[in-house]
Structures are given as structure tokens and as C-alpha cells.
Amino acid sequence: MDLAFEQADLAFQQEVRAYLDEVLDDELRRKLSQSKNGYVDKEGQVKWHKALAKKGWVAPHWPEEWGGPGWTATQKYIFDVENARLGTPIVSPMGVRMVGPVILAFGTDEQKKKFLPPIYNGDVWWCQGYSEPGAGSDLASLQMKAEDKGDHYLLNGTKIWTTHAQWADWIFCLVRTDATVAKRQNGISFVLVDMHSPGISVKPIVTLDGPIENEQEINQVFFDDVKVPKENRIGEQDKGWTYAKYLLEFERGNTYAPSIKRAIKKIRRIAAAESDGCGGQLIEDAGFRDKINQLEIEATAMEFTELRIFAALSAGQAPGPESSILKCRGSEMQQRVSELVLEAVGVYGHPFIADTFAISNEPRPGSDYAGPAAPAYFNYRKTSIYAGSNEIQRNIIAKLVLGL
Amino acid sequence: MDFSFTEEQTLLRNTVERFVQDKYDFETRAKIIKSDDGWRKDYWQQFAELGILAAPFDEDHGGLGGSAIDIMVMMEELGKGLVVEPFLPTVVLGGGFLRHGGTAAHKAEVIPAVIGGECVIAPAYAEPRGRFNLADLETTAKKDGEGYVLNGHKAVALGGPWADKFIITARTSGGQRDEQGVTVFLVDKNTDGLSTRDYPTVDGYRASEVMLDNVKVSADAIIGDVDNGLELVERVMDEGIAALCAEACGVMKQLVDKTIAYSRERKQFGVAIGSFQVLQHRMVDMYLNYEQSVSMTYMVNLKLGEDATERKKAASAAKVQIGRAGKFIGQNAVQIHGGMGITEEMDVGHYFKRITMIDTQFGNVDHHMRRYAALSE
Ligand SMILES: Cc1cc2nc3c(=O)[nH]c(=O)nc-3n(C[C@H](O)[C@H](O)[C@H](O)COP(=O)(O)OP(=O)(O)OC[C@H]3O[C@@H](n4cnc5c(N)ncnc54)[C@H](O)[C@@H]3O)c2cc1C
């Protein structure tokens, strides 16, 4: 066992650090500090995506043939850590991390040529059409109908909780091509749908954090006789579940610890700025400090869990159900971060600032960091619900890791 | 020993309950909190007509002579409906200051106006740098002839935008955090030099920053004794806590009931999600947390009349209980609702937001743990 990076990795780390620091401009930093849900607006998201694409760094997991940087596992990890350290925007995962790998693994050459470059370059925005009103945790019960019409499918039904559908040019959907099957995982197909097709409509879902217009995080998407050419199907008809599951492993296999450690630094800064009502600063309050330190210790446990998993990966092992461990602990820590920020800002958690991105001459009630505190706390309840709820993750661990 | 309610209390509860059922359904509330005014003034008038605003005041001043328990049963019902009209700031806190510290003139003039629904009061006790310490005051009141001149900035005065009068704590002597030297003033909103910055709150209320720039008031504005106001402030805030705990019980009751109902209806994997044992145990724990909170709410409301140390301990203990229980119940209610739980369209999220912000009102769990510890030494 050894913790130290090699010389070449250290040089790489410096290079990453310098470039990220250069392209993360003041505007992006300002918007990030005011984000209620971890994202900035579409313009900012695209700007960041393109800055990474230009350098060849936007899709670390892709093969070099399609623009991947050919990094080692250590380099990928360093890249993640440096992004988290600086607090850069999350690259919208739906293209690069979700549908991209599926197209790479199961797509035809035509599909690869058509879809991968615009994903890479950030020219098209993708969204994920898995969940339906009746099919959340029980995804395999999905019902959206795709009728076989010879050269195309005719789609009818609805998808819900679709992140950033209002910004999307394309959606990848799980649809039911066979409703007669006994096992519901069968009879599902994976199709790519142009969001500009006739018959698609998007209805915003307003979340608790009170987003402003067009900045909503989630939507319901309705499909009314939408034609999808068969060439937009991934892999075989009725075999979509296999591709869908492949994607989920990518969705859940994030690193959490570096960004949580960064967030803890931010809490320390806020606590140093807030008074404790006893003539000192909140950071001097032993009880509050205990909570921050406790969280930091848990983040360290998380960090070394991630390192262990990642070391196993570089030796050629698959992540498998370990991604569920990361998802459970990581999401719960993200929530605790938002809880501590809200606690730190005291009474100034109350004022509601509708548009936290807006620049105004009128000072806000309370400090700038207080504005997004409560909305972020409300919004981050999502992290234990989405990408497979934490109850479902624990079921997976019980079954696949503990063998219960 | 007797834990039953009097006929009057049951009547008051039923009155508020019926009002909420008939006039404060979820859609109506959603419209109210989005409206320009943020409240229904006509509802406030109806509260007056129904006698709701009169409950705690002496019969001499036109009140009903009710007790803390009367307030408790009403607050619980108001909590169930997430009613935003300023009963707590005006009647419980404002009323408390007037009852315990008001001059004969305040009682004769202001109390009847409160009861009649003509006067909304917003207490402004918090400050930007005071956190939850009621004695940490940068706002000053300097003697000026017969009267006083107030300068300072009061933070997050709930109900401020609707207020006719503010109750303002200021320092008349001593150092910034001294217990001595705190004085309470009743100030008309339209007094020269007083301005507000109004805004909605994350849980659907309205509040104000109150700026005091050479605000001149006469000595008649003082509630209680000069320099000795802190005990009065603490007493009224403890009564506020007792009432807030009752509101929290109403909110938690809804969160628990709605979650149980949802878990019966929502089907995944071919069964109601309420049949999953892990969710059953979670809901049982929500229920246990709720029951403990009801007990602590009774406890604090019954102990408001005891000596100051007992009263303070009771208030802090109850506030810790509802803070912890509220967080557990709120978070799990959302979790069990899945994606629906974080939508604005579903009521559960609004109860979650309210219960979250209740922890910050009158001092959070940490603050009251420390206050309790100091009183127990
Ligand atoms: C912010 C956000 C963004 C999202 N983005 C997308 C997106 O872009 N695309 C997309 O397709 N989907 C998206 N989702 C949907 C997400 O994947 C679902 O919300 C999730 O799968 C849960 O489904 P549900 O909301 O229907 O809850 P339900 O499945 O109804 O679950 C309700 C509760 O029951 C519990 N439960 C269910 N089954 C079991 C069980 N067997 N044992 C124990 N407990 C159980 C759950 O854990 C939960 O607490 C998003 C969701 C959110 C909140």
C-alpha cells in the first residue's frame, strides 16, 4: 500500500489544476455559489462543457477513438478530485456519462458517427426518459407504448422527473415494444428520440426550492403519436433492459468524497463569518465544530472507500454493487452538508430569493451565501430518491453483497 | 391530574379546524402565498369575528380570558392548515408583550384593536449578528428629552409587511450582550425614520428587515421596565415557543398521516409501498417522534406559569424535541413520497418546509441544548 502519486501523476495534477482554474471564469464561479440545485443555467453548463471538450477532457471514460483522453485510472481520479477541489460545474451527465457509453457499447457505426461527436462537443443536450408516473423504483413496470409500424415506432405515453428536458434536443427512452411478456424486464426497447419531433410536449415540474421560469430541474414529457425511425433503436428490439442496466452502473458510480470535502471547507468559511451570538464566531462553537469535524471524518472514510474501489478497478475488477455503497453514503453526506449550511446561516435561512443568479444593486437580506441555503437543503432531498432510492440501493447491497 | 380539554377549548379548536377545512384548503393557500399581499386580510377580519384573536386576553379588555392551553389547541389546528396569517406574531407574541408588560394605556387601546383585527403586530427581536441571543443587541435607544431615539437594524421580523406596529428590542444601557440594559418598545410602522425591506420566506410567509434611522418615540412606547426588559422578552418568547410547538405538532401530524396514506396508495412491484417493512418501521418511528412531541408540547404549555428557571427549561426542552422530531419526520415524509415529495404541487413538501423553518424560529436545537444545560447547572 502506498498513498503517494508518482512524479508523472503530480505533473498531470498541476496541468489539470492550472487549466481548470483558468477556464472556470468569474461568472461561472458566481453562478455556482448561488446554485440551489448543483447546476447553473444552460448557458453556463454549455460553456463549461465546451471548455473541457476543447482541451479533450470532457469524456474521460470514452475510448480515444471518440475523443477520450486515454487516461489511466489514477489520472481519471486526479481529474475528478481537481474538479471537486475547485468546485467546477457538473458536466450534464445525460450525454457524456449515460447515453454516450451505451452508444459506444451497443450502437451501430452510423449511430456512433451521428450521435457521439455532438455529445462530445456539447452541441446537443440530452435527457433521460426512464421513469414514468407508475414506474419509479419498479422501473421494469414501465408502460410507454412503442408500436411497430414497419420502418418506425409510434410512441404514446409519458415520462416523468425528466431532468432538464426543457433544454434537451434528444431524449433516450425505455419503451415497451412487447406488452405480452411474462417477465416485465423483457419486451423493453431502448430508443433515441428527437425532442423536436411532432407530438412531444414538455411540462415543467416545480420543485420545493422554487425555481424561476425555465430553470426548473425536472419535467414531465408527453408523447402523442411520436414517430421514431427504427434506426434510432439501440441494439435489439425487446432487449433494452440490458442496455438500461449497463447505463445505471455509470449513473451511480460517482466519486463523492472530494466534493464533500470541498463543501465542508465552505461550511467552515460560513461558520467563520457568522457570529455565535455570544461575542464570537460560530466556528468557535464547540457543538457546531463537532458536527463539521464528524462530517469531515466520514468524508475521509468515504474517500478511502472510493480509493479502495478505484484501486480494485485499476487492477481490472468491475465496480458492481459497490456503486450502491457510494451512492448511499455519498448522497446522505451531500444532504448533511446542505443541512449544516442551513443551520449555519441562522435566521437568514428564512428569506426567499427567487432568482439567486440575478445581479442586483439592492443588497439581499442576509449574506449572499444565505440565499440558496434553504432551497438547496430542500432540493437535496432528491439525492436519496433519484438514481435508485437509497432504500433500493440498500436492497441491492443486502441481496448482492450480503447474499441475504 | 387532568389532560382533558374544557368545553371552551374544544369549541375554539373546532372553530379553527372548521375554518381551515372550509377556507384554507391547499389550493387556496397556494394562491394566498403567491398573491401580492401574501395573506388574506378578510380572513383576519373573520378571525376577529370568530373570537380567535380574543382568546388569551382579559375579559376587561374584551378578551376571552383563555390560557396557554387555549392557544395550544388553536395553534395545532393552524399548523395543520399551514395558515400564514400572523396569529403567532400578533396574538401570541404581541399579545404577550402587551399583557405582561403593557401600560394601562396600551392595554386599553391596543388590545381591543388586536382583538378587533385592526392591529397587526410584528415583534422585531432578532438582529443580523445576534444569532439566537435575545440580549445580543446592536440596536440602541438613546434618551432624548422625555423620549428615546432608536437606531439599528432588526432582522427577519415575521409578519412585518402586514404590521401596523412593531415591538422592538433595543439597548438602553450596558454592553452589547449584557442582560441588563434591554428595553422593549412599541413603535408604529409609520413613525418617521422607520423603514422596512419586505420579502417572502422560503416557507410561504412574509417577513421584513426593519431599519431604524433616528426613530423618535415617547416614553409611552416602552413596554415593561427600562433596562429590565430581557426577562419580559424571554417570558414572551417562551410562550411563543410553547405555541410554536403546538403548531409543529399540527404540521407533524399532517406529515405522518399523509405519509401513511400515501404509502397505502402508492404501488410499486405490484404491492403498496407501505407493505415494505423498512418503510413500516420508518413510519413507526415518525409516529413515535410525533407522540413524544405532543407530550412535550403539553408539558411546556402546562409549565409556562412556573418560576422562570422551570419555565425556561421546559421551553428549551420542548424546542429541542420538536426540532429533532421535525427533522426526522419531515425528511422521511419526503423520502417515502419519492419524487412526488419534492414537488411544489404536493402538499407534503410544504409541510416539510414549514417544519424545517420552525427549528430556526426562537433558536434552533443547538441553541436550546445550551440554554437547557446552562439552566441545569
Ligand atoms: C430530482 C430528480 C431528478 C430525476 N431525474 C430523472 C431523469 O432525468 N430521468 C428519469 O428517468 N428519472 C429521473 N428521476 C426519477 C427517479 O429515478 C425516481 O424518482 C426514483 O426512481 C424513485 O421513483 P418514484 O419517485 O416513483 O418513487 P417510488 O418508487 O414510488 O418510491 C417511493 C418510496 O418507496 C420506497 N420503495 C420503493 N420500493 C421499495 C422497496 N422494494 N423496498 C423498500 N422501499 C421501497 C422508495 O425508496 C421511496 O422511499 C429523477 C428524480 C428526481 C427526484
Side-chain angles (χ1 to χ4, degrees):
Chain A
M1 284 197 209
D2 187 3
L3 271 180
F5 287 132
E6 286 169 22
Q7 206 54 47
D9 291 331
L10 289 173
F12 174 73
Q13 184 180 42
Q14 289 310 317
E15 189 196 351
V16 171
R17 194 171 286 184
Y19 184 70
L20 296 182
D21 197 47
E22 180 198 323
V23 290
L24 187 70
D25 61 22
D26 288 346
E27 194 192 5
L28 281 170
R29 285 176 208 242
R30 183 183 59 77
K31 283 180 182 168
L32 276 162
S33 76
Q34 292 302 319
S35 173
K36 296 176 184 180
N37 63 0
Y39 293 100
V40 296
D41 53 7
K42 184 178 183 184
E43 187 201 330
Q45 291 289 145
V46 171
K47 188 204 252 180
W48 181 248
H49 186 116
K50 286 187 175 291
L52 293 184
K54 196 172 142 208
K55 185 82 178 169
W57 288 356
V58 83
H61 301 85
W62 288 18
E64 282 171 83
E65 186 193 348
W66 293 103
W71 288 338
T72 62
T74 308
Q75 285 177 314
K76 280 184 208 155
Y77 186 76
I78 289 173
F79 184 71
D80 278 356
V81 172
E82 290 306 315
N83 271 284
R85 209 186 55 87
L86 196 61
T88 58
I90 319 162
V91 170
S92 172
M94 276 88 72
V96 170
R97 286 186 71 102
M98 295 187 186
V99 77
V102 170
I103 296 173
L104 280 162
F106 307 105
T108 62
D109 283 346
E110 279 74 54
Q111 286 172 335
K112 288 180 192 169
K113 279 193 211 115
K114 176 170 179 194
F115 292 111
L116 293 178
I119 292 177
Y120 190 91
N121 294 324
D123 292 332
V124 298
W125 191 285
W126 280 84
C127 64
Q128 177 189 24
Y130 274 24
S131 309
E132 294 179 7
S137 298
D138 182 15
L139 184 60
S141 67
L142 64 95
Q143 289 179 341
M144 191 161 106
K145 203 159 79 179
E147 273 175 275
D148 192 334
K149 296 281 183 188
D151 65 340
H152 68 274
Y153 295 108
L154 198 61
L155 267 50
N156 278 290
T158 179
K159 291 289 174 184
I160 197 169
W161 317 122
T162 324
T163 301
H164 293 151
Q166 80 276 23
W167 297 344
D169 305 295
W170 283 81
I171 180 169
F172 55 93
C173 285
L174 293 180
V175 293
R176 187 149 297 284
T177 31
D178 187 351
T180 63
V181 290
K183 193 166 183 270
R184 295 164 316 154
Q185 284 79 357
N186 299 333
I188 292 172
S189 299
F190 192 113
V191 293
L192 313 179
V193 186
D194 186 341
M195 284 293 282
H196 310 290
S197 317
I200 294 188
S201 53
V202 175
K203 184 178 144 234
I205 296 176
V206 180
T207 42
L208 285 183
D209 45 289
I212 56 163
E213 210 176 320
N214 207 37
E215 295 292 332
Q216 76 272 13
E217 185 169 348
I218 49 183
N219 303 273
Q220 185 163 5
V221 185
F222 296 90
F223 297 78
D224 183 17
D225 280 341
V226 176
K227 277 189 191 167
V228 180
K230 276 203 175 154
E231 68 231 32
N232 287 0
R233 190 189 68 224
I234 296 287
E236 286 178 58
Q237 179 165 311
D238 297 337
K239 295 272 187 286
W241 190 250
T242 321
Y243 320 132
K245 277 205 313 198
Y246 178 79
L247 181 151
L248 283 179
E249 276 178 29
F250 284 87
E251 184 177 2
R252 291 167 190 167
N254 284 324
T255 50
Y256 289 90
S259 61
I260 287 165
K261 289 218 152 167
R262 176 173 191 279
I264 290 169
K265 285 209 185 99
K266 181 178 155 200
I267 301 174
R268 287 192 198 279
R269 278 199 305 277
I270 293 176
E274 288 289 318
S275 71
D276 66 352
C278 308
Q281 301 307 118
L282 183 60
I283 195 71
E284 295 159 47
D285 179 297
F288 196 76
R289 258 205 335 259
D290 277 355
K291 286 192 229 182
I292 303 179
N293 291 332
Q294 174 66 40
L295 193 60
E296 192 164 86
I297 290 165
E298 288 177 38
T300 304
M302 186 73 187
E303 183 183 1
F304 275 75
T305 309
E306 284 171 0
L307 286 169
R308 278 169 59 213
I309 291 175
F310 132 88
L313 272 184
S314 59
Q317 285 164 267
E322 274 83 1
S323 61
S324 293
I325 305 178
L326 301 184
K327 203 273 169 172
C328 278
R329 301 294 294 150
S331 59
E332 282 154 18
M333 266 188 260
Q334 289 176 328
Q335 293 176 333
R336 296 246 305 283
V337 164
S338 70
E339 225 169 283
L340 280 188
V341 174
L342 178 58
E343 212 179 306
V345 303
V347 292
Y348 281 117
H350 285 269
F352 175 65
I353 316 292
D355 185 357
T356 45
F357 291 151
I359 302 177
S360 144
N361 292 327
E362 198 187 11
R364 293 182 182 172
S367 343
D368 269 0
Y369 56 70
Y377 170 75
F378 301 143
N379 180 279
Y380 270 73
R381 302 317 306 166
K382 72 187 176 189
T383 64
S384 52
I385 296 169
Y386 66 18
S389 77
N390 285 17
E391 284 80 13
I392 295 298
Q393 303 300 333
R394 285 186 165 84
N395 285 349
I396 293 173
I397 296 171
K399 202 167 144 188
L400 300 181
V401 183
L402 309 185
L404 293 169
Chain B
M1 197 155 8
D2 180 11
F3 278 100
S4 61
F5 297 108
T6 64
E7 239 174 79
E8 288 79 24
Q9 286 159 358
T10 306
L11 195 70
L12 270 177
R13 181 194 289 279
N14 294 345
T15 306
V16 179
E17 186 182 22
R18 210 168 318 120
F19 185 88
V20 169
Q21 268 168 15
D22 295 349
K23 310 210 163 150
Y24 227 88
D25 58 276
F26 182 62
E27 284 71 31
T28 307
R29 177 184 185 268
K31 276 195 209 117
I32 294 175
I33 66 175
K34 285 215 176 93
S35 66
D36 286 345
D37 290 346
W39 72 318
R40 285 279 295 263
K41 211 167 177 183
D42 57 325
Y43 278 3
W44 195 247
Q45 266 313 309
Q46 292 178 37
F47 280 10
E49 283 152 29
L50 290 166
I52 294 173
L53 305 180
F57 297 104
D58 277 353
E59 282 157 21
D60 292 353
H61 302 116
L64 302 176
S67 67
I69 306 299
D70 296 61
I71 299 272
M72 182 182 89
V73 295
M74 290 193 290
M75 283 299 292
E76 204 182 324
E77 297 306 322
L78 293 170
K80 286 183 192 163
L82 294 176
V83 172
V84 297
E85 279 68 19
F87 183 80
L88 179 64
T90 300
V91 177
V92 180
L93 301 177
F97 277 113
L98 294 170
R99 287 187 294 124
H100 307 317
T103 61
H106 293 150
K107 289 180 182 167
E109 286 159 26
V110 187
I111 290 180
V114 168
I115 291 175
E118 294 125 33
C119 176
V120 167
I121 301 175
Y125 49 88
E127 294 200 354
R129 281 168 293 275
R131 201 155 176 87
F132 303 120
N133 182 353
L134 298 166
D136 191 337
L137 299 174
E138 290 181 52
T139 299
T140 57
K142 293 230 161 67
K143 191 101 178 96
D144 173 45
E146 289 302 291
Y148 289 82
V149 182
L150 275 61
N151 278 291
H153 173 180
K154 307 301 284 187
V156 196
L158 286 169
W162 313 317
D164 302 290
K165 292 178 191 296
F166 286 104
I167 288 177
I168 291 168
T169 53
R171 186 153 288 289
T172 34
S173 69
Q176 193 183 324
R177 281 168 294 277
D178 287 355
E179 293 190 3
Q180 272 295 311
V182 175
T183 305
V184 181
F185 295 87
L186 179 67
V187 183
D188 276 350
K189 189 187 220 165
N190 57 20
T191 310
D192 280 349
L194 187 155
S195 59
T196 63
R197 164 95 196 278
D198 301 343
Y199 47 81
T201 65
V202 292
D203 51 351
Y205 290 69
R206 299 290 162 105
S208 306
E209 300 297 290
V210 183
M211 313 298 172
L212 304 160
D213 182 15
N214 286 322
V215 175
K216 288 197 165 79
V217 296
S218 76
D220 300 341
I222 293 172
I223 297 183
D225 298 331
V226 176
D227 285 344
N228 286 325
L230 189 61
E231 268 307 312
L232 171 66
V233 176
E234 293 220 35
R235 178 177 176 193
V236 172
M237 292 301 145
D238 285 343
E239 292 175 356
I241 287 173
L244 186 69
C245 287
E247 182 191 343
C249 285
V251 175
M252 289 190 269
K253 172 93 175 117
Q254 293 282 35
L255 283 164
V256 174
D257 288 353
K258 284 175 188 294
T259 303
I260 294 169
Y262 186 78
S263 79
R264 285 185 211 275
E265 275 168 34
R266 172 68 173 168
K267 286 209 169 72
Q268 287 289 275
F269 305 99
V271 293
I273 58 170
S275 68
F276 299 128
Q277 204 163 41
V278 65
L279 298 192
Q280 288 177 352
H281 285 194
R282 198 86 53 78
M283 287 185 276
V284 168
D285 284 332
M286 289 167 70
Y287 167 74
L288 297 180
N289 270 285
Y290 164 70
E291 283 297 330
Q292 303 287 82
S293 302
V294 171
S295 302
M296 288 298 261
T297 299
Y298 285 11
M299 184 281 295
V300 62
N301 277 286
L302 289 166
K303 286 194 173 189
L304 283 178
E306 301 209 352
D307 71 65
T309 306
E310 269 306 297
R311 185 203 70 224
K312 290 178 191 176
K313 275 181 75 173
S316 287
K319 191 70 175 43
V320 168
Q321 167 65 30
I322 61 146
R324 294 231 164 103
K327 186 185 271 188
F328 181 84
I329 291 173
Q331 292 181 347
N332 281 298
V334 172
Q335 181 68 19
I336 293 173
H337 278 77
M340 288 308 294
I342 66 156
T343 65
E344 199 192 47
E345 174 195 342
M346 186 108 190
D347 52 6
V348 68
H350 295 261
Y351 288 97
F352 166 61
K353 291 204 269 189
R354 178 66 192 134
I355 200 71
T356 302
M357 300 322 290
I358 280 178
D359 185 44
T360 304
Q361 250 175 295
F362 306 133
N364 65 6
V365 167
D366 280 10
H367 172 79
H368 283 285
M369 281 296 286
R370 227 146 298 137
R371 185 174 183 239
Y372 187 89
L375 293 160
S376 305
E377 268 149 23

